[in-house]
Amino acid sequence: MFEREREELVEILKNKGITNKRVLEAFLKVERHLFLPDIMKQHAYKDVALPIGLGQTISQPYTVAYMTQALDPQPQQKILEIGTGSGYQAAILSQMGARVFTIERHHDLYNSAMKIFDKMNLRIAARCSDGTLGWQEFSPYDGIIVTAGGPSVPVNLKKQLADNGRLVIPIGDKKIQSLQIITKISSDEFLTREVPYFAFVPLIGREGWKEK
Ligand code: SAM
C-alpha cells in the first residue's frame, strides 16, 4: 500500500540532498502510514511533521532522513533513540539493521509505539522514562539520536556513548535549535559540528527543559 507515494517521497528527499543509499532504501520500505492515527494516514507521505496526540509530532521525513544520515548507523550497531513518539524513526533505524533502544516519556505514546513494533515484528527495546538520563544498562552506544530539542547536551548521553560513537541532538531555545553532531574521541574529547535552523518539540526532563 502507498508504494508510489513512498517512491515520490524518496525522490523529494534526494532532491533535498539526502544521498545515503541505505537511508533512502529504509524510507522506501518502512510504511510511515502505519505510525499515524487513521485521520492522518492520507498525509503520511507528504514531507511534513504531523500531530500524533499529546501535543507531540512525528517528525518531518526530511528531518528524520537528515538526522539518520548524520548518525550513519551500521548493521548490528547499538543505537539509542530519545523520544520514541510514533516509533517511525526507531523503525527506520531497525530497518537499517541497527540494534535499537528507544525511550519515550509519555506512557500513551510508549504503549502505542510498542503495539506497532509488535505488529510489525520489529525487535526494538523500548522503555517509558526520562531519556535525558539515557539507558545505562545497555551502554555504551555506537550512536545516540535525540528527537526533541534541549537547552544543553545531557551529560549522561555523552557518558553513555562509545568511543568513536556519534550523538545527534537539537540544542537551542524552545522555538529553534541547531542540530549538534557530536563525535566522541575519548571520555573527555568530543568533536562537534553544528547545523542551524531545526524546530523540534521540547526535550523535557532532568537534563532538559522543566515541565510547566
Ligand atoms: N522520533 C519520533 C517519531 O519518529 O515519531 C518523533 C518524536 S517527537 C518529535 C519527540 C518525542 O520526544 C515526543 O514524543 C516527546 O514526548 C518525547 N520526549 C520529550 N522529552 C523526552 C524525554 N526526556 N525522554 C523521552 N522522551 C521525550
Side-chain angles (χ1 to χ4, degrees):
M1 207 175 164
F2 292 122
E3 276 97 357
R4 195 168 51 82
E5 285 81 354
R6 271 196 298 288
E7 282 168 13
E8 284 168 7
L9 175 61
V10 164
E11 283 311 306
I12 292 171
L13 297 177
K14 281 186 192 165
N15 289 335
K16 288 187 169 178
I18 303 300
T19 52
N20 184 311
K21 287 205 171 68
R22 296 173 50 248
V23 173
L24 294 167
E25 263 166 37
F27 272 80
L28 274 184
K29 295 215 173 105
V30 179
E31 298 178 288
R32 191 171 184 249
H33 65 276
L34 299 181
F35 296 84
L36 286 166
D38 283 349
I39 50 162
M40 287 294 151
K41 286 192 193 303
Q42 57 180 315
H43 304 297
Y45 299 99
K46 293 178 182 160
D47 189 22
V48 290
L50 294 166
I52 53 170
L54 296 165
Q56 305 303 321
T57 53
I58 182 172
S59 300
Q60 180 185 354
Y62 172 70
T63 302
V64 177
Y66 190 94
M67 290 178 86
T68 309
Q69 181 163 277
L71 190 71
D72 195 21
Q74 301 300 311
Q76 292 311 315
Q77 278 189 340
K78 251 196 279 177
I79 304 292
L80 174 66
E81 180 200 23
I82 312 302
T84 314
S86 68
Y88 179 68
Q89 169 76 75
I92 290 280
L93 296 167
S94 178
Q95 176 66 41
M96 291 176 76
R99 291 153 64 198
V100 184
F101 300 79
T102 183
I103 307 178
E104 170 56 52
R105 64 184 286 273
H106 280 298
H107 271 101
D108 288 357
L109 294 177
Y110 159 80
N111 283 332
S112 135
M114 285 287 280
K115 277 190 198 140
I116 298 171
F117 295 155
D118 277 353
K119 220 176 190 173
M120 294 174 75
N121 280 325
L122 292 173
R123 293 188 55 196
I124 290 174
R127 75 187 280 192
C128 187
S129 63
D130 175 6
T132 65
L133 305 177
W135 195 342
Q136 172 73 31
E137 192 183 346
F138 298 105
S139 68
Y141 299 96
D142 302 295
I144 302 180
I145 181 167
V146 183
T147 65
S152 58
V153 182
V155 175
N156 279 295
L157 299 187
K158 283 170 113 176
K159 275 195 195 144
Q160 291 176 25
L161 204 54
D163 285 353
N164 294 316
R166 201 171 283 176
L167 167 62
V168 179
I169 178 167
I171 298 294
D173 60 30
K174 282 192 181 163
K175 286 209 172 113
I176 193 136
Q177 305 90 33
S178 297
L179 205 59
Q180 294 205 0
I181 302 161
I182 302 170
T183 305
K184 184 168 185 171
I185 310 297
S186 65
S187 57
D188 53 7
E189 201 185 344
F190 295 84
L191 272 182
T192 303
R193 185 162 72 83
E194 216 171 295
V195 187
Y197 310 126
F198 284 84
F200 285 82
V201 296
L203 178 70
I204 293 172
R206 190 127 32 112
E207 289 197 50
W209 298 103
K210 302 290 160 251
E211 195 160 28
K212 272 189 209 144

